[in-house]
Amino acid sequence: MRLLPWSGPDGQPCYLSTDHSGGFLSQLADDMEEVQVSTGEEVLARATELLRESARPSADELRFCVHRLCEALRDALRIVESRGGRTG
């Protein structure tokens, strides 16, 4: 079973049961993981930039940044869990 990089309608995990790693849904999941990792890199770069700026970020800017970092971390951990399940 492969944990997919998206959740179901109620936030529950979605799994793909297949023996084919090159199928349509497998490829879609691979592409989504790639986008999630890229987005995480962008969010991290922006957060780093925000903290390095000479002007103090506002509470709203920090809250927004932390929210995006949490989303990126959640995506990354799901990818790690999914890949760990496929290699173990």
Side-chain angles (χ1 to χ4, degrees):
M1 296 289 279
R2 176 182 180 173
L3 176 63
L4 295 173
W6 54 79
S7 298
D10 297 324
Q12 75 276 18
C14 290
Y15 293 91
L16 176 63
S17 176
T18 182
D19 292 334
H20 306 292
S21 61
F24 175 77
L25 280 178
S26 290
Q27 186 59 51
L28 181 62
D30 290 344
D31 293 346
M32 176 65 98
E33 287 178 352
E34 201 172 302
V35 167
Q36 288 172 325
V37 169
S38 177
T39 300
E41 290 170 341
E42 292 172 17
V43 169
L44 179 59
R46 178 61 187 128
T48 301
E49 180 183 314
L50 184 66
L51 294 174
R52 286 187 180 158
E53 291 176 355
S54 58
R56 281 184 78 186
S58 71
D60 286 340
E61 288 173 312
L62 289 174
R63 191 174 296 108
F64 180 80
C65 185
V66 168
H67 185 70
R68 298 285 87 81
L69 286 168
C70 288
E71 288 175 344
L73 180 57
R74 188 177 304 113
D75 289 343
L77 292 173
R78 182 182 293 255
I79 292 167
V80 168
E81 181 181 351
S82 175
R83 290 183 182 177
R86 287 182 276 156
T87 60

